[in-house]
Amino acid sequence: MPKISLKKINSLKKNKIGISALTSYDASFAKLADNCGIDIILVGDSLGMVIQGHDTTVPVTVDDVIYHTRNVSRGLHRAFLVADMPFMTYSDPNQALENAVRLMQEGGAMMIKLEGGEDQISIVEHLARHDIAVCAHLGLKPQSVHKIGGFRVQGREPKEAQKMIDNAKALQDAGADLVLLECVPNELGKSIKESLEVPVIGIGAGPFVDGQILVLYDILDITQGSTPKFVKNFMIDHDSPINAVKAYVDAVKTGKYPAAEHCFS
Ligand code: KIV
């Protein structure tokens, strides 16, 4: 199967075919997801919680993400590989450029993701000017968990929702190639998707965006304890991880996931 490029991701959006994405942190799971036809693999800083056992993503370092991205890249033949910029590794344009280059050169990332708002516009501009593909993460931004007071739905107030729409447009205009939207009401997901030309990938952002991403360990029922409302356990109806991931890809492509019970109003 041909490799997934940014051009292909844009054509999936144009043809209204759901863009399927998952996190992965190692070569074996990356290979499994790749063999199931996943479009995007994200080496998320969620690795701080999923792999390292921290309560938040705050302790994750660039070296951690490089290590996992390098391992994941060895497992991939087809999927587009995105790596997260950890907390405080993009606080000024030059620091951001230096760390993005490391994620690409040492880790093999094709795109970097950063948690963005108006303060990140100049950073996205700087990276885009250097031809680095950028995904801007809006909505619930886990790196700000201590400031926002927990992992909770964002953008329920009209003023906050409007600000998110404006920031999404500004980040796109600054050169972001993708937007990832976490934990927002369906209607806000829809408005942001309709305001942008670049693809919008959601996690708990409802069914109206261009694609979906989930944490692989959540869909395979590996995560212990409670999981967020937007998570669907694909092991319930499937007898193996490979069949569960295939079902996830199919459910995203055909719009069967997310269902109403996975969404916020
Ligand atoms: O780090 C992560 O896993 C993420 C999720 C939103 C997919 O950013």
Side-chain angles (χ1 to χ4, degrees):
M1 280 202 274
K3 269 186 179 296
I4 299 284
S5 60
L6 197 47
K7 195 169 165 209
K8 173 72 182 172
I9 292 167
N10 278 296
S11 89
L12 291 173
K13 171 186 168 77
K14 199 168 151 220
N15 293 311
K16 297 187 173 24
I17 299 169
I19 301 161
S20 60
L22 280 171
T23 67
S24 180
Y25 318 100
D26 68 71
S28 299
F29 273 133
K31 194 169 189 173
L32 184 149
D34 201 66
N35 286 342
C36 293
I38 199 81
D39 297 314
I40 298 175
I41 288 287
L42 167 70
V43 181
D45 61 356
S46 53
L47 70 87
M49 300 168 82
V50 177
I51 303 294
Q52 298 173 334
H54 295 295
D55 290 337
T56 74
T57 60
V58 172
V60 175
T61 66
V62 176
D63 285 337
D64 292 335
V65 181
I66 289 172
Y67 171 77
H68 288 281
T69 307
R70 200 187 291 140
N71 293 340
V72 164
S73 72
R74 292 189 197 110
L76 297 185
H77 295 288
R78 175 180 176 272
F80 191 73
L81 178 56
V82 183
D84 249 340
M85 303 275 285
F87 179 61
M88 281 299 138
T89 63
Y90 50 97
S91 55
D92 70 61
N94 288 335
Q95 184 204 26
L97 182 61
E98 197 178 301
N99 286 321
V101 167
R102 287 196 65 204
L103 290 170
M104 294 174 73
Q105 290 191 324
E106 297 175 43
M110 296 161 169
M111 170 182 270
I112 61 87
K113 174 166 85 60
L114 50 81
E115 295 185 7
E118 54 202 310
D119 292 339
Q120 281 67 45
I121 291 167
S122 60
I123 288 164
V124 170
E125 237 158 30
H126 192 63
L127 295 176
R129 211 177 307 126
H130 288 84
D131 287 338
I132 292 178
V134 178
C135 173
H137 182 153
L138 290 168
L140 171 61
K141 295 185 276 184
Q143 291 170 13
S144 310
V145 63
H146 299 305
K147 178 95 173 163
I148 59 180
F151 298 101
R152 56 183 85 229
V153 180
Q154 302 292 305
R156 277 199 163 126
E157 299 301 321
K159 216 170 137 190
E160 197 197 339
Q162 189 54 53
K163 192 171 169 195
M164 212 185 291
I165 297 171
D166 295 343
N167 282 341
K169 282 198 237 166
L171 288 160
Q172 169 184 268
D173 294 346
D177 305 278
L178 278 187
V179 166
L180 186 147
L181 207 49
E182 178 164 359
C183 266
V184 299
N186 283 2
E187 285 309 309
L188 180 54
K190 184 167 186 256
S191 302
I192 291 181
K193 183 232 150 109
E194 286 172 355
S195 307
L196 299 184
E197 278 153 39
V198 299
V200 178
I201 314 284
I203 174 162
F208 306 117
V209 291
D210 302 300
Q212 303 291 333
I213 183 163
L214 285 174
V215 168
L216 180 65
Y217 285 42
D218 289 343
I219 73 164
L220 294 183
D221 199 24
I222 295 169
T223 307
Q224 299 295 292
S226 63
T227 50
K229 177 183 164 88
F230 53 75
V231 169
K232 177 169 174 176
N233 171 3
F234 280 83
M235 285 302 285
I236 285 180
D237 294 321
H238 301 93
D239 57 0
S240 66
I242 195 149
N243 286 335
V245 175
K246 276 184 188 159
Y248 168 72
V249 171
D250 180 67
V252 172
K253 298 247 157 246
T254 56
K256 282 184 228 135
Y257 172 82
E261 74 254 32
H262 307 118
C263 296
F264 300 107
S265 52

